[in-house]
Structures are given as C-alpha cells and as structure tokens.
Amino acid sequence: MADATLTAYNVKTKEKNVPIQDAVISRTVKGGYIAKGHDGKGNKLTSLLGEEKALAAIKAGLAKQDW
C-alpha cells in the first residue's frame, strides 16, 4: 500500500482529512480496526480502518498496535 497515512474527520473544528498523531490501532468487538489519536491541538480523533490499511500503518511505523 503506497499511502499509509492515517487521517480522520475532526468533529470539533469540522475539518476533513486531519492527520492522526500518536496513533494507536486496536481491534473492535466485531473484528474491525480503529485508530485513536489526536491532532496536535488537543482534539481527540478516531477513525475506522480496513485490515489492509491498519496493518500497513503498523508496519510503516505510523501507529502502535494495541492487541
């Protein structure tokens, strides 16, 4: 996967494609993947991911694994 950057929608500022900093990827109860982090300004961000993108981000060192 060429583009493994993690982005999310910031609900507070209504910005799209905000990069997630200090991302931690964990598994959901149903088996999906979720990235949690912040935007650098104190706002929390979360984003649901597919398996391919989640594992690529972990392998690239962009996120930590939580399971």
Side-chain angles (χ1 to χ4, degrees):
M1 179 158 214
D3 184 27
T5 58
L6 298 175
T7 59
Y9 176 75
N10 190 335
V11 177
K12 188 172 183 180
T13 62
K14 295 181 175 53
E15 293 178 72
K16 293 182 181 179
N17 297 323
V18 178
I20 301 175
Q21 297 180 3
D22 299 332
V24 176
I25 296 178
S26 58
R27 300 285 305 258
T28 63
V29 175
K30 292 187 176 185
Y33 295 88
I34 188 166
K36 299 177 184 178
H38 64 86
D39 66 351
K41 300 174 188 172
N43 300 316
K44 294 180 182 177
L45 299 173
T46 60
S47 179
L48 291 172
L49 305 170
E51 181 179 13
E52 182 180 342
K53 189 167 185 174
L55 297 178
I58 292 169
K59 188 174 181 181
L62 298 173
K64 294 180 183 177
Q65 182 176 343
D66 189 29
W67 69 90

